[in-house]
Amino acid sequence: MTTFYSEFQKIFVSVDCIIFGFEKNKLKVLIGKRKMDPGRGEWSLYGGFVRLGESIDDAALRTLFELTGMQNVYMRQVGAFGNVDRDPGERVISIAYYALINVNDYDDGLRQEHGVEWVDIEDMPPLYSDHREMVNKARMLMKEKIKTEPVGFRLLPSLFTLTQLQRLYEAVNGEELDKRNFRKRIKEMDYIEKTELIDKSSSKRGAFLYRFNRHAYDEDPNFKL
């Protein structure tokens, strides 16, 4: 370490991960009880401090991997949160990131090991410090992103019904969509392929399963829902 900037106060930098999932037609957020002071026992996002020698992006990826054991996950920065009194322990500035994962891909044993739970975003308990503000901003950014990019497919299994897809968009946007108009728009998108497989879990007649075609999407610059 050098002696440069010794006349200035040192400030901690942390990252917090807002991890979204989709289960039973609900948008979920992964949260757990804090295991340290201040705020021990309060519901909180999962995060950690940025280490010497790593960028904030690397810190976020490391934190996500520690919690989920997953790599190559869709993750985007939400922004910086730096109110002077946001952390009663020390002066801490946090950079928030949101990630999208398929709930079924997350090892449940690892979830239990870390003591975190999937909670419906509409029924979140009070969260530590400004973590609810982080979640709200992340959701707002995702609502905008899902209009122009097919990021929602990262929350779905590889095969899905149109009803599942509609429920996902409704969960993200927090409002119901007209079924006829939604399906009309979806069927105009070449990168959403209808398969010959049928899902009979919800009815005897069943519903056709669809899949996302990455190659077709890469060739279509006009994606807009």
Side-chain angles (χ1 to χ4, degrees):
M1 296 292 290
T2 70
T3 58
F4 297 125
Y5 312 125
S6 59
E7 68 271 29
F8 296 104
Q9 177 186 358
K10 299 300 185 290
I11 295 177
F12 291 89
V13 179
S14 68
V15 293
D16 282 294
C17 294
I18 304 112
I19 303 174
F20 290 118
F22 182 66
E23 186 179 40
K24 297 180 180 179
N25 298 329
K26 301 292 185 179
L27 184 64
K28 302 293 185 72
V29 181
L30 201 59
I31 60 174
K33 296 289 186 70
R34 278 177 66 86
K35 299 177 182 179
M36 65 175 71
D37 294 318
R40 185 184 298 270
E42 294 183 34
W43 287 104
S44 168
L45 296 170
Y46 191 85
F49 288 99
V50 179
R51 297 172 179 172
L52 289 175
E54 70 178 356
S55 68
I56 55 174
D57 287 349
D58 288 341
L61 290 171
R62 171 181 55 79
T63 300
L64 179 67
F65 181 75
E66 289 175 355
L67 178 61
T68 66
M70 299 169 68
Q71 295 179 317
N72 300 318
V73 173
Y74 180 90
M75 175 180 276
R76 294 293 184 272
Q77 189 180 120
V78 176
F81 294 78
N83 285 346
V84 174
D85 59 351
R86 65 173 301 276
D87 191 310
E90 291 285 352
R91 181 76 169 95
V92 180
I93 294 174
S94 182
I95 314 299
Y97 290 76
Y98 79 91
L100 309 180
I101 68 173
N102 187 324
V103 171
N104 294 327
D105 290 340
Y106 182 27
D107 185 283
D108 199 58
L110 195 57
R111 180 191 64 77
Q112 294 181 42
E113 178 183 329
H114 285 284
V116 291
E117 298 181 19
W118 288 110
V119 177
D120 184 349
I121 195 171
E122 305 295 350
D123 297 315
M124 285 191 303
L127 299 182
Y128 174 75
S129 185
D130 50 9
H131 288 192
R132 178 176 286 273
E133 181 184 349
M134 293 180 180
V135 173
N136 291 341
K137 185 173 181 180
R139 185 184 190 183
M140 179 186 69
L141 293 175
M142 183 168 56
K143 285 170 66 174
E144 291 303 311
K145 182 69 72 174
I146 205 171
K147 294 177 183 178
T148 57
E149 295 182 25
V151 296
F153 294 104
R154 299 174 184 272
L155 297 169
L156 291 170
S158 57
L159 295 172
F160 51 85
T161 66
L162 290 184
T163 297
Q164 286 177 304
L165 185 59
Q166 180 174 339
R167 295 290 178 265
L168 169 63
Y169 275 83
E170 290 176 336
V172 171
N173 288 287
E175 59 183 14
E176 291 186 9
L177 300 174
D178 180 78
K179 179 179 178 179
R180 181 177 297 178
N181 289 337
F182 180 81
R183 296 200 172 195
K184 180 181 178 181
R185 293 178 183 179
I186 292 299
K187 290 180 178 180
E188 292 173 350
M189 299 175 186
D190 293 337
Y191 40 84
I192 299 179
E193 292 183 336
K194 182 179 180 181
T195 72
E196 298 302 318
L197 302 174
I198 296 178
D199 173 28
K200 293 188 177 181
S201 61
S202 58
S203 68
K204 290 183 178 180
R205 182 180 179 184
F208 279 102
L209 289 166
Y210 290 73
R211 64 187 170 204
F212 173 59
N213 185 323
R214 163 61 65 178
H215 179 71
Y217 167 71
D218 289 340
E219 293 183 345
D220 184 350
N222 300 312
F223 176 72
K224 183 76 173 180
L225 183 67

